[in-house]
């Protein structure tokens, strides 16, 4: 695939980011990062002309790239600062990962579909983003690199995985869609004493987080 970011794509992207700003889902830091990343490169060529609509699209292995509004919202909710260690569960296309890298975090990300792991790895390398990428089961997190300042789950979790709670630093934040079928977006803060405070922030609709099965 040729990586061309035409003025048409750039214009459509700016319009999308403005629309996301009007929706109040994210502030200028997140939206500027999103405005720098050619979302169409993360999609099959047949979807390129639609890449800057606020829509989810199919990617490999029957998965989907999240809506731009969801990416904006989750990125904002995560309250990241440059240099933070962030763990993402569900690399998928690599688009959300690219947005987090553009925000200057040290990213760790896990994907359980080999096809998507290979694709997103190639894409992040091509874009020059450095992330620690793992092909495996997100329910387990990445104990070797823990703890993390932030954890973002980009698939619908049937429950909050215990291992992930354990891999959050005191003062850390996890943003996770929880529920079977549809989900609630939940923010979990880990307090200095190791206890958790949970808040439901709204509705979400992600592909399900799956255990180690094909
Ligand atoms: N962040 C992605 C969203 C992809 S959809 C993007 O920007 O494109 C959710 C992804 O979570 C899918 O790729 C799916 O394969 C992955 N996933 C589902 N269950 C998982 C698990 N247990 N561990 C890691 N990834 C998982």
């Amino acid at each position: 695939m040729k990586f061309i970011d035409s003025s048409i794509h750039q214009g459509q992207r700016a319009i999308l980011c403005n629309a996301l700003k009007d929706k109040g889902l994210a502030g200028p830091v997140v939206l500027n990062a999103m405005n720098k990343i050619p979302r169409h490169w993360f999609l099959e060529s047949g979807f390129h002309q639609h890449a800057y609509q606020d829509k989810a699209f199919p990617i490999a292995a029957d998965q989907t790239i999240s809506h731009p509004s969801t990416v904006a919202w989750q990125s904002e909710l995560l309250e990241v600062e440059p240099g933070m260690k962030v763990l993402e569960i569900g690399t998928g296309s690599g688009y959300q990962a690219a947005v987090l890298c553009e925000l200057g975090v040290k990213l760790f990300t896990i994907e359980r579909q080999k096809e998507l792991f290979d694709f997103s790895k190639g894409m992040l390398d091509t874009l020059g983003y450095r992330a620690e990428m793992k092909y495996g089961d997100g329910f387990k997190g990445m104990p070797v690199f823990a703890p993390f300042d932030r954890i973002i789950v980009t698939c619908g979790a049937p429950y909050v995985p215990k291992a992930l709670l354990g891999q959050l630093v005191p003062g850390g934040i996890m943003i996770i869609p929880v529920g079977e079928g549809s989900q609630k977006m939940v923010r979990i803060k880990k307090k200095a004493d190791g206890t958790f405070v949970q808040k439901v922030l709204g509705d979400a609709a992600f592909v399900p987080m799956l255990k180690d099965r094909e």
Side-chain angles (χ1 to χ4, degrees), residues 71-115:
V71 173
W73 190 36
Q74 277 199 300
S75 302
E76 188 71 25
L77 291 175
L78 215 52
E79 299 178 33
V80 294
E81 282 164 30
M84 278 185 171
K85 278 173 72 184
V86 178
L87 174 65
E88 179 193 30
I89 309 299
T91 322
S93 67
Y95 178 68
Q96 170 74 75
V99 172
L100 290 168
C101 289
E102 188 60 44
L103 289 169
V105 310
K106 172 98 187 79
L107 186 71
F108 301 79
T109 181
I110 308 176
E111 171 56 50
R112 73 181 280 286
Q113 300 280 357
K114 185 72 167 68
E115 219 180 324

Side-chain angles (χ1 to χ4, degrees), residues 42 59-61 63-66 71 74 88-97 109-113 116 134 136-140 153-156 206-212:
F42 295 81
I59 51 177
Q63 304 301 317
T64 53
I65 185 172
S66 301
V71 173
Q74 277 199 300
E88 179 193 30
I89 309 299
T91 322
S93 67
Y95 178 68
Q96 170 74 75
T109 181
I110 308 176
E111 171 56 50
R112 73 181 280 286
Q113 300 280 357
L116 286 167
K134 185 178 159 147
D137 180 9
F139 278 93
K140 297 180 181 139
V153 179
T154 67
C155 37
F206 286 78
V207 292
M209 183 175 185
L210 301 172
K211 290 254 184 202
D212 305 289

Side-chain angles (χ1 to χ4, degrees), residues 6 8 17 19 22 44 53 57 61 71 74 79 88 102 112 114 152 156 176 185 192 204-205 213:
S6 70
I8 292 177
C17 289
D22 291 344
E44 283 170 25
Q53 296 171 17
F57 292 102
V71 173
Q74 277 199 300
E79 299 178 33
E88 179 193 30
E102 188 60 44
R112 73 181 280 286
K114 185 72 167 68
I152 173 173
I176 178 169
M185 191 73 85
R213 58 187 158 92

Side-chain angles (χ1 to χ4, degrees), residues 3-180:
F3 293 101
I4 297 168
D5 189 23
S6 70
S7 54
I8 292 177
H9 285 133
Q10 291 174 36
Q12 290 174 341
R13 189 155 71 240
I15 290 169
L16 170 67
C17 289
N18 264 324
L20 296 175
K21 181 179 158 207
D22 291 344
K23 282 191 176 177
L25 289 169
V29 176
V30 165
L31 294 175
N32 284 341
M34 288 180 68
N35 198 26
K36 284 189 190 150
I37 300 167
R39 184 177 187 245
H40 61 284
W41 292 352
F42 295 81
L43 297 172
E44 283 170 25
S45 56
F47 296 118
H48 280 192
Q49 57 176 321
H50 306 295
Y52 299 101
Q53 296 171 17
D54 190 12
K55 287 188 179 161
F57 292 102
I59 51 177
D62 290 329
Q63 304 301 317
T64 53
I65 185 172
S66 301
H67 287 72
S69 53
T70 304
V71 173
W73 190 36
Q74 277 199 300
S75 302
E76 188 71 25
L77 291 175
L78 215 52
E79 299 178 33
V80 294
E81 282 164 30
M84 278 185 171
K85 278 173 72 184
V86 178
L87 174 65
E88 179 193 30
I89 309 299
T91 322
S93 67
Y95 178 68
Q96 170 74 75
V99 172
L100 290 168
C101 289
E102 188 60 44
L103 289 169
V105 310
K106 172 98 187 79
L107 186 71
F108 301 79
T109 181
I110 308 176
E111 171 56 50
R112 73 181 280 286
Q113 300 280 357
K114 185 72 167 68
E115 219 180 324
L116 286 167
F117 169 79
D118 291 339
F119 173 85
S120 56
K121 191 164 176 40
M123 185 57 64
L124 292 185
D125 282 350
T126 302
L127 289 170
Y129 293 125
R130 294 241 216 117
E132 187 68 43
M133 305 184 74
K134 185 178 159 147
Y135 166 51
D137 180 9
F139 278 93
K140 297 180 181 139
M142 272 206 222
V144 177
F145 296 102
F148 302 97
D149 299 299
R150 301 287 186 263
I151 298 179
I152 173 173
V153 179
T154 67
C155 37
Y159 53 86
V160 181
K162 259 212 168 107
L164 299 185
L165 291 172
Q167 291 173 27
L168 205 53
V169 293
I173 297 175
M174 179 174 356
I175 303 296
I176 178 169
V178 188
E180 311 224 28

